[in-house]
Structure formats: C-alpha cells, structure tokens
C-alpha cells in the first residue's frame, strides 16, 4: 500500500458519495487490478477518486481507445479491469469495443460511460444505450449513488459469468448528485493467473472473427434470459392503474416523485429488455408509458414486440425528464394535472437567472493567443475541444469551427485542399491544445505534413487537461498520482511528424509582439508550420503569480484595448459616446482591474494605448474576505 494514501473507510461505513465516488469505491472493492480513463465531464471524478485507493493500478490514458485497450489487456491476463469515459469518448473507443464483443473477456471488464444529458459541457447529446444493441452487450443503469455502487459490483460478476464487457451507463445527474452509500470490503478475485494463448480467440483475422460471430448471438440470448429473471429489473405495484411506467436510470426517480401511486417497471439491466415483465405491467394498466433519456430506444423495442406503448409522442426527445417536465407533458393522461394547469403558473416556467457566459480565467495563457488571432485579418481558424474552445466567444470571436477532438487538423487540411475562389487568399490556422493533440491530433498533423498542407498549427501547451479540472498528462511531466513521469517534447514530436524545423517555433504567449510577428510570418509560408505556446495553466502548481496591475484612471482614455484581451479581471466602469473630428461616433470604455484576481501576467499592459496600466500599490490592492472577517 502506498504510505502517502489514506486508508479507505472500513466496510459498513455509510458515506455521502456522488455516483462517481461510489463507482470508484465499488471498483476497488471488486478487486480490480487495472483502471484507466481519459478525463471527460461528467465521468472524470471516477478515476480521480480511484487514484487514492491502494492496491490498484490507475492511469490517465492519452485517449479513450487506449484506456479500453489497457483494460482489455489486464482482463485477458486474468484480472478484473475497468475503464471510464464520457459519451463521446466511447465513439473513440468503439474500434476496440466492436472487436472486443467478439473476443469476449476473461477477468471482469466494466466500461463506465457517462452521458452528458442536457449538453452541460459537450458538443452533442448522445444516448450510449445504443452501444448495447450495436455491440450486443449488456447495459446497466443505476438511479442513484447507492445503486451505482451496487451495480458496479454486479457488473463485474455479470461480465465474468458471460465473458463479456458490461457497459455501466451513467448520466450527469448520477455522476454528480450525492446520497448516502453503505460500503463493503475489498475482495481480490482472479479468473486466471496469466494469459492463455489462443490465436483463434485473440487474433482477430477474418477467418477467426467469422467463427466467433455466432457466439455473440448465443450470448445475447443467454443475457436476455438473465435480464428476464434479474432482481435488478423489478416491477413495483401502484394503486393508480391508469398509467404504468417503464423506465431506468435517473428517470426512475423522476417518475416516482411525479407519480408516486403509479405502477413502475424499473430496469436496472436495460438491455436486453425483459419483455416478460413489460407485458406483465402492460396487462395491469390502461396505458403504458416509457420514460427514457434521451432517445426512444426502449419504446421502439417494446413496440416491435407488439406491446402498445407511448413515449416520445408525449415527451421531449432531448434533455432531462425531471418531474416538472413529466407533469407538463403527461397532463393529457392525468386530468387532474390538466385542470390544475389552467389556474396554476406554467409547470416549466424558466427561472430568471443572470446570464453567465463561460470565459477563460484571468491571466490564462490562451488569452494572448486569441487576442492575437482576433487582430489578424484574412484568416480562417479551425478550433478544437478544450478550454480554448472559449476563443469562439466574446470578445475574441476567433474560432470559425469546432467539431470534435482533433478535428481542427484534418478540417484545416481539407479546407486548404478544397477551398473555393472566395477563400483562395485566406490563410488557414488550426488551434489545438496539448492534451487534445496527444489524444487525437498527432495523426492529423502527420496528414498535414505528409500531404504538404498549407496550414499553420497553433499548439497551445498549458501542461494540463484544463477543461476537465487540471488533470496531469504527458505534457505535465506528472502521472495520476503526481509522481514524476517523462514529459513530452512537442517540438521534437512535431519535427518527427514531418514539420520542417525552421517552421517550428516555441513562443511565450504573454509576449504579444513576438506571438503576433511569428503568426504573421508563418501564415505567409506556403506549407505546414507549427507554433507552440509554452506557458502553464494559471490553476496549476506550475504557474507563478506576479505582482498585480491596476488602471491609472487619470491616464485612461477609454480606448478599450485592454478589454479586447478578454481577461475577466478587467471591468468596464463606464462607457461614453464621443464624436471624433471626422464626425464618426465612437464609444469609449473606461476600465479598472480587479487586483485580487490579477496575477500580473502583463497581457493587458501591452495593447494599452495611453500606458495607463501600472503595478498596483499595496494601498490599492483589493482583497476578498469571508463572511464575518475584517479586511
């Protein structure tokens, strides 16, 4: 046991845990030997918490496909293994997944997939339950943290019983909402003591793969029988027989709150669907309704089985299904709700909330990059996924596209090769972060170099996975435990991928003139080039805070140049409209700097026309105090 780690709470302890924390505890208790993940909201905290448990190997993998392959390697060696990712991560891992369904597993292998229902921090809203049908794998769906803990344990047993990976489908509400969880003890279990060579199973050339194909349908039939009798799928009676509900995951909690007297079929194993229990419920009620997030998956299968059911003809096809939404959209089935709606306020009236658009942190090294990009003309900028995606917003508006991890590279090359006459004179820039570059960007850059694309790549190295909370990666030189690890040299990697060394530049993003000059020169070059920024995220231990700045109001002319940097520590105190001698009306923006937030990076100092920004004096440095404290 690592002496630096605290001892886990003993068996029988009741703990207030989020779903992510509960799953981490269950994975440890299940005797898992290897756990891997790539951080992605809302799944990130599973591995972050697992890293604090003893006697288990944990790692941040460079992408989700690698994490699943690491878990598979541990599984076929006979140990239990685990990997976690968000919904879009399973797209990346699906190449391995779709062959893994043929080979099966040895040691139990569980894949936790967290769906971002409602687009909290994702570029799309997917329903990962589809992967169960696509890959012929069982899907388990917990409704709260206690169930997340229990189902994670059950998933390993199910995996080993049927030699199959099991998908534990989560949503943001399960991942992040806390409830009391009673925990148990760790029990190490190995299915085998080592890897058994079996080329017919593990070498998936076409002949071998073809011979294993019938087995997945045999397994699926056996899983359907398991689902039909499993205690995880339970039919709960109700006194109100007008409507019966089929549901799973957090929707079960919403249905129970909204319609406490209705009969409910709660699906813990939502695939394969236990049609025997669906029919049993349908025979008891006037109307059967499926409540599911997000797509009409269960509804379609139940209809295909010849059972009348309603669902998305009444309910929204996207977003969460909280009680207020259920009551509003199912009022036609409950006359008392329809009558109440005539006199009551709207059930889903939006709350008045002050708009809080996301922005980058004060002194973020990406600010300099986006300020510079916003000053360039005649450019097309391909963006990517990460903190730097915020460069598409105000005041920079510096990104023209953002699609998925690593897409900036391939799209920039495609834009270069496929541009029309209107874009022939425009320069193409691709922006990508360090973690995203290692995740899925290196292949794209290799393609740019190999095909001689006329693209300038701006590689923003802030030495962390910033958007998901500052996790370590090969750029930080630290592993998941904070121990020293080899640190990637991006300049060498970029050169090895085919970029000429004379067109590789490492630049301090806080030096705006240097960054601007380098970008302007490289976009004129007819060929591939890479500019690497080299300052760390301001929220990491690598960042060094400097003396804060303030605005000298007696010198400020309201030019507003500092505002265009986009630093949230800069506030506009007043605006004035004036008429220039030319007759043109302009708006002046007078500013101040929140010195408690300023870290002294000096970005705002450089574009300030009247030199009105100076180091703050001790008397003018603002402070923040807690309630009851004196400043």
């Amino acid at each position: 046991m690592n002496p630096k780690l605290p001892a886990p709470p003993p068996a029988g302890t009741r703990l207030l845990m989020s779903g992510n924390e509960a799953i981490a505890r269950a994975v440890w208790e299940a005797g898992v030997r290897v756990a891997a993940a790539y951080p992605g909201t809302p799944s990130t905290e599973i591995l972050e918490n697992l890293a604090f448990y003893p006697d288990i190997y944990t790692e941040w993998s460079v992408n989700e496909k690698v994490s699943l392959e690491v878990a598979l390697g541990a599984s076929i060696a006979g140990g239990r293994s685990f990997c976690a990712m968000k919904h879009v991560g399973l797209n990346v891992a699906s190449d391995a997944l779709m062959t893994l369904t043929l080979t099966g597993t040895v040691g139990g292998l569980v894949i936790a997939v967290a769906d971002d229902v409602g687009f909290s921090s994702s570029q799309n809203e997917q329903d990962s339950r589809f992967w169960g049908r696509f890959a012929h794998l069982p899907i388990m769906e917990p409704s709260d943290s206690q169930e997340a803990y229990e189902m994670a344990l059950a998933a390993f047993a199910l995996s080993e019983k049927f030699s199959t990976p099991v998908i534990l489908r989560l949503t943001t509400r399960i991942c992040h909402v806390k409830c009391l969880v009673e925990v148990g003890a760790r029990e190490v279990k190995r299915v085998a003591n080592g890897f058994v060579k079996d080329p017919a199973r593990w070498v998936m050339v076409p002949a071998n793969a073809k011979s294993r194909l019938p087995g997945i349908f045999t397994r699926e039939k056996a899983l359907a029988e398991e689902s039909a009798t499993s205690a995880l799928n339970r039919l709960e009676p109700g006194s109100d027989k007008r409507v019966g509900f089929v549901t799973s995951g957090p929707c079960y909690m919403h249905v129970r709150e909204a319609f406490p007297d209705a009969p409910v079929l709660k699906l813990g194993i939502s695939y394969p669907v236990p049609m025997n229990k669906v029919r049993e419920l349908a025979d008891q009620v006037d109307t059967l309704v499926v409540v599911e997030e997000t797509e009409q998956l269960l509804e379609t299968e139940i209809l295909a089985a010849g059972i009348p059911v309603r669902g998305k003809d009444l309910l929204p096809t996207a977003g969460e299904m909280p009680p207020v939404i259920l009551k509003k959209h199912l009022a036609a089935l409950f006359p008392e709700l329809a009558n109440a709606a005539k006199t009551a306020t709207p059930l889903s009236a939006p709350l008045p909330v002050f708009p809080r658009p996301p922005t980058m942190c004060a002194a973020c090294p990406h600010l300099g990059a986006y300020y510079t990009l916003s000053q360039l003309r005649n450019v097309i900028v391909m963006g990517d996924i990460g903190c730097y995606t915020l460069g598409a917003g105000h005041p920079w508006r510096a990104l023209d596209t953002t699609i998925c991890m690593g897409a900036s590279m391939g799209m920039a090359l495609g834009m270069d090769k496929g541009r029309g006459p209107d874009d022939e004179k425009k320069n193409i820039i691709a922006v990508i972060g360090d973690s995203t570059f290692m995740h899925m960007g290196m292949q794209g850059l290799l393609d740019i170099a190999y095909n001689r694309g006329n693209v300038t790549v701006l590689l923003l190295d802030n030495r962390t996975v910033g958007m998901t909370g500052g996790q370590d990666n090969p750029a930080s030189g630290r592993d998941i435990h904070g121990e020293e690890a080899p640190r990637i040299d991006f300049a060498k990697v970029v050169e090895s991928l085919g970029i000429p060394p004379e067109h590789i530049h490492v630049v301090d993003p806080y030096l705006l003139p240097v960054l601007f000059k380098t970008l302007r020169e490289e976009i004129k070059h007819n060929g591939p080039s890479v500019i690497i920024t080299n300052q760390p995220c301001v929220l990491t231990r690598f960042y060094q805070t400097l003396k804060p700045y303030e605005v000298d109001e007696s010198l400020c002319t309201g030019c507003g140049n500092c505002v265009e940097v986009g630093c949230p520590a800069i506030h506009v105190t007043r605006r004035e409209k004036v008429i220039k001698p030319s007759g043109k009306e302009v708006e002046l923006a007078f500013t101040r700097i929140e010195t408690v937030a300023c870290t002294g990076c000096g970005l705002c100092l450089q574009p300030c026309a009247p030199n009105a920004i100076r180091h703050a004096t001790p008397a003018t440095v603002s402070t923040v105090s807690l309630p009851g404290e004196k400043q």
Side-chain angles (χ1 to χ4, degrees):
M1 178 176 174
N2 188 338
K4 296 182 180 179
L5 300 179
T13 306
R14 297 187 75 202
L15 304 169
L16 185 64
M17 306 180 93
S18 68
N20 284 345
E21 292 168 333
I23 291 168
R25 173 73 188 211
V27 169
W28 176 73
E29 287 184 21
V32 167
R33 297 291 301 276
V34 172
Y38 180 81
T41 305
S43 70
T44 305
E45 295 83 7
I46 301 176
L47 253 287
E48 285 185 331
N49 281 278
L50 259 176
F52 288 103
Y53 284 93
D55 307 317
I56 181 172
Y57 170 80
T58 54
E59 73 164 44
W60 288 127
S61 304
V62 294
N63 66 31
E64 296 86 359
K65 178 176 181 287
V66 172
S67 76
L68 180 53
E69 291 160 348
V70 168
L72 176 59
S75 170
I76 67 175
R80 287 182 165 181
S81 62
F82 172 82
C83 67
M85 58 200 71
K86 67 184 296 180
H87 61 288
V88 289
L90 193 51
N91 301 338
V92 178
S94 63
D95 190 15
L97 180 74
M98 296 307 291
T99 302
L100 173 54
T101 188
L102 288 172
T103 65
T105 58
V106 180
L109 195 166
V110 175
I111 307 166
V113 182
D115 286 4
D116 186 11
V117 177
F119 292 86
S120 296
S121 59
S122 305
Q123 66 270 36
N124 63 42
E125 183 184 66
Q126 289 176 206
D127 192 330
S128 294
R129 296 176 301 159
F130 275 104
W131 290 106
R133 284 77 176 165
F134 194 17
H136 306 280
L137 300 177
I139 302 285
M140 301 178 76
E141 293 190 73
S143 296
D144 59 19
S145 299
Q146 180 68 48
E147 283 196 354
Y149 163 83
E150 293 170 354
M151 286 189 186
L153 289 171
F156 285 102
L158 188 69
S159 174
E160 288 168 355
K161 182 176 180 178
F162 293 97
S163 298
T164 180
V166 175
I167 295 175
L168 187 65
R169 192 252 185 163
L170 314 166
T171 67
T172 305
R173 193 163 293 272
I174 299 301
C175 292
H176 292 161
V177 173
K178 296 194 175 189
C179 73
L180 287 174
V181 178
E182 184 171 345
V183 301
R186 176 171 167 87
E187 181 181 353
V188 177
K189 181 178 180 181
R190 292 192 67 87
V191 176
N193 290 322
F195 174 61
V196 178
K197 292 189 177 183
D198 184 358
R201 180 178 184 184
W202 302 119
V203 182
M204 284 290 95
V205 293
N208 292 342
K210 187 182 296 183
S211 67
R212 293 195 63 84
L213 184 61
I216 67 174
F217 300 108
T218 302
R219 181 186 68 207
E220 191 171 38
K221 182 178 179 181
L223 284 166
E225 295 172 356
E226 178 83 7
S227 178
T229 59
S230 173
L232 295 175
N233 295 327
R234 65 176 186 263
L235 183 55
E236 300 179 352
S239 57
D240 188 347
K241 303 295 186 181
R242 291 176 297 174
V243 179
F245 292 94
V246 180
T247 189
S248 61
C251 288
Y252 165 75
M253 296 295 195
H254 302 324
V255 167
R256 268 283 164 244
E257 181 179 341
F259 307 104
D261 298 324
V264 176
L265 173 57
K266 182 194 183 305
L267 300 180
I269 301 177
S270 61
Y271 185 79
V273 180
M275 287 300 176
N276 61 322
K277 294 184 178 180
V278 175
R279 287 191 176 91
E280 184 180 349
L281 175 59
D283 291 340
Q284 298 176 15
V285 298
D286 298 332
T287 303
L288 191 65
V289 174
V290 172
V291 179
E292 52 188 329
E293 293 173 350
T294 52
E295 309 231 9
Q296 55 194 77
L297 214 57
L298 288 171
E299 179 185 351
T300 299
E301 293 190 13
I302 294 170
L303 285 171
I307 304 172
V309 67
R310 302 190 69 178
K312 294 303 181 183
D313 62 320
L314 299 169
L315 296 166
T317 56
E320 293 187 308
M321 300 291 161
V324 66
I325 295 294
L326 294 179
K327 289 180 179 180
K328 175 184 177 181
H329 290 275
L330 298 179
L333 302 179
F334 295 89
E336 66 274 18
L337 292 179
N339 293 334
K342 296 177 181 179
T343 56
T345 56
L347 290 168
S348 59
L351 295 174
V353 178
F354 185 81
R356 295 179 296 168
T359 188
M360 286 179 266
C361 301
C364 173
H366 302 338
L367 293 174
Y370 283 121
Y371 174 77
T372 303
L373 288 174
S374 70
Q375 303 303 305
L376 293 173
R377 298 293 178 265
N378 218 28
V379 296
I380 300 173
V381 184
M382 301 296 185
D384 225 295
I385 304 296
C387 284
Y388 49 91
T389 307
L390 297 171
H394 182 80
W396 318 279
R397 307 193 190 284
L399 295 181
D400 297 309
T401 67
T402 299
I403 302 298
C404 65
M405 298 281 279
S408 61
M409 302 305 216
M411 290 181 66
L413 178 61
M415 175 71 74
D416 174 45
K417 300 300 184 181
R419 66 176 87 189
D422 292 342
D423 296 323
E424 284 182 355
K425 294 183 180 181
K426 293 181 180 178
N427 300 295
I428 299 173
I429 299 173
V431 180
I432 194 167
D434 55 336
S435 184
T436 310
F437 179 74
M438 293 180 286
H439 178 282
M440 202 55 73
M442 290 188 286
Q443 301 92 326
L445 181 60
L446 176 60
D447 206 43
I448 290 172
Y450 175 66
N451 292 293
R452 297 177 291 276
N454 187 9
V455 175
T456 299
V457 174
L458 188 55
L459 174 49
L460 307 176
D461 176 18
N462 66 354
R463 299 176 67 178
T464 192
V465 190
M467 182 64 90
T468 53
Q471 290 76 29
D472 285 304
N473 63 30
S476 68
R478 296 285 189 275
D479 64 15
I480 194 171
H481 300 290
E483 303 293 333
E484 286 192 19
R487 184 183 173 197
I488 190 172
D489 186 326
F490 283 112
K492 289 182 179 179
V493 170
V494 165
E495 184 177 355
S496 71
L497 291 174
I499 305 300
E502 64 270 23
H503 293 290
I504 301 171
H505 306 272
V506 180
V507 177
D508 184 341
Y510 294 122
L511 301 179
L512 295 180
V514 177
L515 180 58
F516 187 82
K517 181 175 182 291
T518 307
L519 259 172
R520 190 167 55 181
E521 289 177 352
E522 285 304 328
I523 61 178
K524 294 177 182 177
H525 165 63
N526 187 19
S529 58
V530 177
I531 300 169
I532 305 165
T533 63
N534 65 354
Q535 288 293 340
C537 170
V538 298
L539 301 181
T540 66
R541 57 186 174 279
F542 305 114
Y543 186 78
Q544 298 295 318
T545 301
L546 301 173
K547 189 176 180 181
Y549 286 96
E550 66 179 359
V551 176
D552 185 337
E553 295 183 5
S554 66
L555 297 177
C556 180
T557 62
C559 70
N561 290 348
C562 60
V563 178
E564 294 181 9
V565 172
C567 179
I570 300 173
H571 296 180
V572 175
T573 57
R574 75 179 193 278
R575 297 183 183 273
E576 293 181 8
K577 291 184 178 180
V578 297
I579 305 297
K580 285 190 170 185
S582 62
K584 181 180 178 181
E585 183 182 74
V586 297
E587 184 178 71
L588 303 180
F590 296 89
T591 62
R592 69 176 175 86
I593 296 174
E594 195 68 52
T595 52
V596 71
C598 178
T599 66
C601 72
L603 278 173
C604 59
L605 188 70
Q606 298 171 68
C608 179
N611 295 320
I613 298 176
R614 64 189 182 191
H615 277 302
T617 62
T620 58
V621 173
S622 58
T623 59
V624 174
S625 60
L626 297 174
E629 289 185 338
K630 294 182 179 180
Q631 293 191 11

